[in-house]
Amino acid sequence: MNEPVEKTLPIAAKEPTWLASSSPHAHSGDSVRKIMLTVIIALMPALAAAGIFFGWDALRLTGVCIVSCVAAEAATRKLMRRDKGIGDLSAVVTGLLLAFNLPPALPSWMAVVGSIVAIVIAKQFYGGLGYNPFNPALIGRVLLLISFPVAMTTWGPWQILSPAAGVDAITTATPLGLVKTTLGTGQPLPFVFDGDTILQFFMGAKNGCIGEVSVLALLIGGMYLLWRRCISWQVPVFYIGTVAVFATILWLADPTHNYNPLFHILTGGLVLGAFFMATDMVTTPVTKTGLMFFGIGCGVLTMVIRKWGGYPEGVSFAILIMNAFTPLLNRMTRPRVFGHGQKKKQA
Amino acid sequence: MRFYKELIKGLWTENPIFRLVLGMCPALAITTSVMNAIGMGLAATFVLICSNIAIAAVHNIVPSKVRIPCYIVIIATFVTVVDLLMNAYLHELHKSLGIFIPLIVVNCIILGRAEAFASKNGVWLSIADGIGMGIGFTLSLIVVSAIREILGNATLLGYAVGHYQVALLMVLPPGGFLTLGCLLALMNHIQAGMARRSGHAYVPPPTLDCRHCAICKWGE
């Protein structure tokens, strides 16, 4: 059933000049390796930004994740007697994405644990590339977040530019974490979110996981992916759009306890998740309508977790929960086969 | 001889957790510490032995149409006995096991043994079956809970086993699923190896397919 195209031999008809072969007849020339390479290239601006903002720590952690992911992939494939292909680069992408979801000060051995869980448990145990129901990098991140909550939420000092408030503040929390703890103790919003702060958040001068801080770098990578048609526009647009609508409603309802919608778009892992995690080909629906619902679901869940959940950030949980809905969305949005089924009646 | 055979089958060849995959609810829920596992295992063993005896004794006079309700009433009686006794004499353990003590009533192992063994065999063999299955269940719970307690709490039976960073996940529900899944895989692997050495073909569980396992390729 899953035979590669090369193995379906053309059937020779009686006339030697006529060949009949089964579809597909035209091949776009894409391969797993090419797509993964495109994703890696698209992630490079964010890696460069991480290097600028976090320095050596970010590069160390990224290296550790990539090496341990590739090693875990090679070892598992050998042990499970699968073809020993690490050349498809999918383990490199998993390693990069996992590292992008970790705080820069995380000890290396925890990153190794996360990588092994991502590759061995979340990917190879389910049957390898193409069979995993959940995004491996996010499984690795969530396992680390639940296992080592202190290490996963330890951040370096960070300065909030907020001239309108009169003073610059130093904090060791992410913007979302800061807001959550401040509001949780019944105090007003911790800083003013205006022009300068927006620019600061957009460029990436804020606390957060390695790959999520610079929205600008992520957008450059995301646009490249869109231009190469590696991802479809539905998920990022509907994901970020839903978050924006949700945040606008909250903001209009209660501006003293909610920032404007840009805050929710520019903080946390939303842009990273919307362009690089929620667009994974394996774990998301195949139809365009399915992708639309997938994006909307991710957006609603993200905002619900951010606003009312126990964790300050909900992107990884939202995407994983929606991954579980993928088979359902695929079934729900199955296109009508031409010539079969009932046509919709014209009104 | 037959008594001995029925006694040891619960330990390995028909281990309720790892071979029959029964009683998953307590195996996942209460295996956060070895103390819990021992308490749960012994409570279930007591109920299992008593209900096996009672059911083996009455199975000839119970009409087969109403046998399940009758078995449940018998099992529930013994569970109530255990519940009240533990509440009186092991109050702390009773509190940490919580709802899972009354839930022994619907434990698949107990009803399963009643239906599959005690209702077809005599009292004597049913005792052996109950003891074997109960001990097998207890040992399996201890193995699962020891792994979870060491990795997730750095203790064993409440005593510290070292100073290292614990993975909180292991004592949370996902840790139970992960540990149990890995142990099941290990059991299948060992079974396949044993089958190969004795010259038999190993038949993997029907729910597995080649995507998930490579057991048949291990010896190559």
Side-chain angles (χ1 to χ4, degrees):
Chain A
M1 184 176 162
N2 291 318
E3 274 180 32
V5 181
E6 297 82 18
K7 276 194 187 167
T8 51
L9 294 168
I11 303 154
K14 280 176 188 170
E15 298 263 328
T17 46
W18 292 84
L19 286 175
S21 67
S22 144
S23 59
H25 302 291
H27 195 271
S28 67
D30 264 352
S31 64
V32 175
R33 190 195 171 91
K34 268 189 187 171
I35 293 169
M36 293 296 167
L37 202 60
T38 315
V39 177
I40 291 171
I41 293 170
L43 285 169
M44 282 305 122
L47 183 61
I52 293 168
F53 289 115
F54 296 120
W56 162 242
D57 257 350
L59 302 179
R60 163 192 65 103
L61 214 53
T62 313
V64 166
C65 280
I66 294 175
V67 170
S68 46
C69 272
V70 172
E73 171 110 341
T76 330
R77 293 188 85 95
K78 189 168 163 49
L79 272 176
M80 294 179 105
R81 306 288 197 276
R82 296 201 171 119
D83 54 324
K84 298 172 189 91
I86 52 166
D88 64 11
L89 297 179
S90 62
V92 177
V93 171
T94 305
L96 261 176
L97 286 176
L98 175 63
F100 278 18
N101 277 291
L102 301 176
L106 195 79
S108 295
W109 70 268
M110 286 186 188
V112 174
V113 170
S115 307
I116 292 173
V117 167
I119 291 292
V120 178
I121 291 180
K123 192 170 155 200
Q124 296 297 347
F125 276 10
Y126 282 103
L129 182 68
Y131 293 113
N132 49 314
F134 299 102
N135 191 316
L138 285 178
I139 294 273
R141 171 196 151 79
V142 165
L143 181 125
L144 290 177
L145 181 63
I146 296 175
S147 292
F148 313 113
V150 177
M152 281 294 285
T153 48
T154 303
W155 318 91
W158 155 67
Q159 190 171 29
I160 317 167
L161 287 175
S162 205
V167 284
D168 288 358
I170 302 276
T171 177
T172 54
T174 60
L176 284 169
L178 187 64
V179 169
K180 190 134 211 162
T181 44
T182 318
L183 291 182
T185 53
Q187 291 162 357
L189 290 171
F191 53 89
V192 179
F193 190 64
D194 58 8
D196 279 350
T197 325
I198 290 176
L199 190 67
Q200 184 193 2
F201 279 18
F202 182 70
M203 297 305 285
K206 61 175 185 279
N207 248 348
C209 295
I210 291 174
E212 72 186 19
V213 285
S214 176
V215 176
L216 175 68
L218 287 168
L219 279 180
I220 294 172
M223 290 305 145
Y224 176 70
L225 280 185
L226 279 174
W227 174 65
R228 292 294 303 265
R229 302 198 176 207
C230 262
I231 60 174
S232 43
W233 59 270
Q234 275 88 352
V235 170
V237 167
F238 280 99
Y239 192 170
I240 298 174
T242 309
V243 168
V245 170
F246 206 123
T248 310
I249 295 171
L250 287 179
W251 180 51
L252 291 177
D254 186 7
T256 53
H257 286 91
N258 293 290
Y259 285 116
N260 65 46
L262 266 179
F263 175 79
H264 280 287
I265 294 171
L266 296 180
T267 55
L270 178 66
V271 177
L272 176 67
F275 278 99
F276 293 96
M277 308 284 214
T279 52
D280 175 28
M281 288 177 175
V282 178
T283 56
T284 55
V286 288
T287 61
K288 303 285 176 201
T289 335
L291 288 175
M292 190 183 85
F293 284 118
F294 188 88
I296 294 173
C298 284
V300 171
L301 285 172
T302 301
M303 283 309 289
V304 166
I305 295 172
R306 278 186 183 181
K307 187 67 192 161
W308 295 289
Y311 287 95
E313 171 61 315
V315 167
S316 43
F317 290 108
I319 297 175
L320 283 177
I321 292 171
M322 287 312 288
N323 281 166
F325 279 97
T326 295
L328 201 66
L329 288 173
N330 274 339
R331 180 172 296 197
M332 214 175 82
T333 59
R334 186 186 295 171
R336 193 175 65 87
V337 177
F338 183 72
H340 289 267
Q342 203 71 35
K343 234 184 201 172
K344 272 182 194 163
K345 277 182 185 166
Q346 299 282 325
Chain B
M1 197 61 222
R2 177 90 196 276
F3 183 86
Y4 179 69
K5 206 187 103 210
E6 299 298 348
L7 191 68
I8 60 156
K9 70 166 190 259
L11 299 184
W12 185 267
T13 52
E14 284 184 37
N15 184 297
I17 299 276
F18 295 125
R19 298 303 299 158
L20 307 180
V21 199
L22 291 175
M24 287 295 103
C25 173
L28 292 167
I30 57 92
T31 50
T32 49
S33 74
V34 178
M35 211 53 211
N36 276 358
I38 295 174
M40 182 71 199
L42 292 183
T45 307
F46 172 79
V47 176
L48 191 53
I49 298 170
C50 294
S51 69
N52 262 11
I53 294 172
I55 288 163
V58 300
H59 77 264
N60 282 331
I61 56 170
V62 173
S64 70
K65 269 186 185 168
V66 292
R67 66 183 193 286
I68 301 282
C70 290
Y71 297 168
I72 291 287
V73 169
I74 291 170
I75 294 165
T77 310
F78 292 115
V79 171
T80 311
V81 170
V82 168
D83 192 20
L84 294 177
L85 280 177
M86 284 182 82
N87 203 354
Y89 296 105
L90 295 165
H91 189 66
E92 284 305 309
L93 184 63
H94 184 268
K95 258 203 314 203
S96 78
L97 288 175
I99 185 69
F100 292 100
I101 291 288
L103 277 180
I104 297 177
V105 176
V106 286
N107 192 319
C108 282
I109 301 168
I110 293 167
L111 193 60
R113 292 329 288 175
E115 180 76 3
F117 196 91
S119 64
K120 293 173 186 145
N121 290 283
V123 174
W124 185 237
L125 287 178
S126 297
I127 294 175
D129 182 73
I131 295 173
M133 284 288 159
I135 302 294
F137 180 61
T138 312
L139 289 179
S140 313
L141 289 188
I142 290 174
V143 171
V144 176
S145 62
I147 295 173
R148 290 181 69 185
E149 197 181 334
I150 290 173
L151 289 178
N153 209 19
T155 59
L156 189 62
L157 269 171
Y159 298 102
V161 291
H163 292 282
Y164 48 87
Q165 175 73 50
V166 296
L168 206 55
L169 179 106
M170 292 306 285
V171 288
L172 295 172
F177 282 97
L178 279 178
T179 315
L180 195 67
C182 291
L183 284 173
L184 277 172
L186 184 68
M187 279 295 279
N188 275 333
H189 175 52
I190 296 173
Q191 288 283 324
M194 282 166 61
R196 190 173 301 106
R197 268 195 299 282
S198 64
H200 298 297
Y202 175 68
V203 183
T207 45
L208 287 183
D209 60 35
C210 287
R211 233 169 59 194
H212 300 94
C213 94
I215 284 175
C216 53
K217 294 186 193 164
W218 273 91
E220 287 164 14

